[in-house]
Amino acid sequence: MRETAESARGFSKHPGVRPGATSPSRVLALLYSIALFAVGSDLQAQQEAIEGEASQYTYREPGEFGIGKIYMGREIGVVMSPEGACWLDRAGRAEEERPDLVLEAMEIEPDWVVADIGAGSGYYTFRLSSRLSQGRVLAVDIQPRLLQLIEERSALAGIANVEVVLGTIEDAGLSESTVDAVLLVDSYHEFSHPREMMESIVRALGPGGRLFLVEFRGEDADLAVPAVHKMTEAQARSELEAAGLEWVENRSVLPLHHFLVFRKP
């Protein structure tokens, strides 16, 4: 605990954190650094997985909270381990990030099939399930321990419209043209193979299907989150359009995040 606490305190020296950051933002910085502290073996696995990949990626010495792999000018962030799930379910998240506004802005229909990709502990999965009275949620993650947690919570609450899907670092594991909408919350920036993963997601979307990308605003220098764990609108548009999606709009409804809307042609 001493090492973790010292690392968290040192986080305030991150170049993306300015002394005048607001109190909630500084709290986010502390919690985020603690959550990402437990990435050791995950980071090693990500670095080992980059051998022999396509020329669309380049490599350099990893930066802070990055894996040293570059896609379209952006360093990819480390994946949060299951031990960091406390960050996902932390007290105060609903007030800080306003998931209620995310769900409202999605404008989902009750019979849709929605994929929550990078579902983690199910924070958004279960919120979506309550709005899909005739539909279902596909909770996608690459970490079996987190999917097991979602299954246990579903069983305990008697929720029948949640299905877990174990993906890979290159494929979401979804069948072609079976999904009406995709939600990505603070996960895309951690994809070790963003081009391949996005191509699999685009295949899974039906014609006209929507993708909702929620990421901490990279343009906000006062937002005390590591730079590699934020995205600018311009960067997100470049990467997702390259994967075959059409830009729709940025619905500026959230206090800390972009809410970016894309569609499949």
Side-chain angles (χ1 to χ4, degrees), residues 126 144 146-156 162 164:
F126 296 115
L146 291 174
L147 294 179
Q148 181 181 359
L149 177 61
I150 291 176
E151 286 186 313
E152 292 171 353
R153 289 180 173 178
S154 294
L156 186 63
V162 170
V164 300

Side-chain angles (χ1 to χ4, degrees), residues 24-53:
S25 185
R26 297 178 77 86
V27 171
L28 280 174
L30 175 64
L31 292 171
Y32 210 94
S33 62
I34 293 173
L36 288 173
F37 187 80
V39 299
S41 60
D42 295 304
L43 175 56
Q44 181 180 356
Q46 291 176 65
Q47 290 175 324
E48 291 173 350
I50 66 177
E51 298 179 1
E53 292 178 339

Side-chain angles (χ1 to χ4, degrees), residues 7-197:
S7 300
R9 288 195 294 272
F11 186 85
S12 64
K13 300 176 182 178
H14 188 278
V17 181
R18 293 172 55 181
T22 61
S23 178
S25 185
R26 297 178 77 86
V27 171
L28 280 174
L30 175 64
L31 292 171
Y32 210 94
S33 62
I34 293 173
L36 288 173
F37 187 80
V39 299
S41 60
D42 295 304
L43 175 56
Q44 181 180 356
Q46 291 176 65
Q47 290 175 324
E48 291 173 350
I50 66 177
E51 298 179 1
E53 292 178 339
S55 59
Q56 61 201 8
Y57 303 112
T58 57
Y59 306 95
R60 70 183 186 200
E61 188 70 20
E64 188 173 22
F65 301 117
I67 66 172
K69 182 176 179 178
I70 312 301
Y71 177 60
M72 298 185 71
R74 174 183 63 87
E75 182 175 10
I76 295 167
V78 296
V79 174
M80 186 179 296
S81 71
E83 287 72 21
C86 59
W87 157 260
L88 303 175
D89 295 319
R90 68 189 181 279
R93 182 180 180 185
E95 182 178 356
E96 294 161 2
E97 299 185 10
R98 297 300 304 274
D100 57 316
L101 297 180
V102 171
L103 297 178
E104 289 176 13
M106 289 178 69
E107 299 176 344
I108 57 178
E109 298 293 335
D111 60 347
W112 278 10
V113 175
V114 179
D116 179 13
I117 298 182
S121 62
Y123 186 82
Y124 275 93
T125 296
F126 296 115
R127 286 169 167 78
L128 286 166
S129 71
S130 66
R131 295 191 174 220
L132 296 169
S133 58
Q134 304 165 51
R136 58 196 174 108
V137 186
L138 306 178
V140 181
D141 210 285
I142 64 171
Q143 303 189 64
R145 289 162 61 188
L146 291 174
L147 294 179
Q148 181 181 359
L149 177 61
I150 291 176
E151 286 186 313
E152 292 171 353
R153 289 180 173 178
S154 294
L156 186 63
I159 297 173
N161 66 343
V162 170
E163 177 183 336
V164 300
V165 179
L166 180 62
T168 71
I169 58 175
E170 296 181 320
D171 196 307
L174 302 171
S175 299
E176 185 174 350
S177 299
T178 57
V179 176
D180 297 294
V182 168
L183 178 63
L184 292 164
V185 179
D186 293 330
S187 58
Y188 175 78
H189 68 269
E190 297 180 351
F191 289 173
S192 64
H193 296 69
R195 175 62 70 88
E196 295 88 342
M197 180 63 87

